[in-house]
Amino acid sequence: PTTISTLVFVANLQLPTTADTNFASATSGNIHPCANRFLLRTYRKVYEFRAAPGAAFETAFAATPVSLTDTVEGQGEAIEYDPTGTAYYTMSESPSPFRLKRVVRQ
């Protein structure tokens, strides 16, 4: 069976900016298994947007992003929470061979 999903606009996000636009260009994102926060990856940084305790998931979009440990990859392209939500995985598109990195959330 085919599943069709429809995207719905929720919000524009404002990321911290620097002179290097690689810090503010989103390349990947992932929703936490508990659906109370999400990760947003740029080429150079990892941000987590957290909803207030007990608040709806959508409120995370208005939260101030928390800067998490980055894996210092050449060009960060992918991010995903592990199934428990206690860590996340990142991967870069270069250099080859590609390496999946696991980072324990703080």
Side-chain angles (χ1 to χ4, degrees):
T2 301
T3 302
I4 297 175
S5 298
T6 302
L7 297 177
V8 176
F9 175 81
V10 176
N12 287 317
L13 295 174
Q14 182 65 44
L15 296 176
T17 58
T18 67
D20 183 349
T21 57
N22 287 317
F23 282 87
S25 299
T27 60
S28 185
N30 191 249
I31 298 173
H32 190 274
C34 293
N36 62 351
R37 60 187 68 203
F38 66 94
L39 292 171
L40 193 63
R41 175 75 196 258
T42 73
Y43 288 122
R44 303 279 189 262
K45 295 287 288 180
V46 173
Y47 299 103
E48 189 172 56
F49 290 76
R50 302 171 181 168
F57 169 74
E58 292 81 5
T59 63
F61 288 88
T64 300
V66 176
S67 183
L68 299 182
T69 302
D70 192 7
T71 56
V72 191
E73 296 163 320
Q75 189 169 337
E77 291 285 348
I79 195 157
E80 172 108 13
Y81 283 105
D82 79 350
T84 67
T86 60
Y88 55 90
Y89 297 92
T90 67
M91 185 179 286
S92 179
E93 71 175 24
S94 66
S96 180
F98 307 118
R99 290 187 173 88
L100 183 65
K101 297 182 179 182
R102 184 177 189 270
V103 180
V104 176
R105 277 187 54 245
Q106 299 151 336

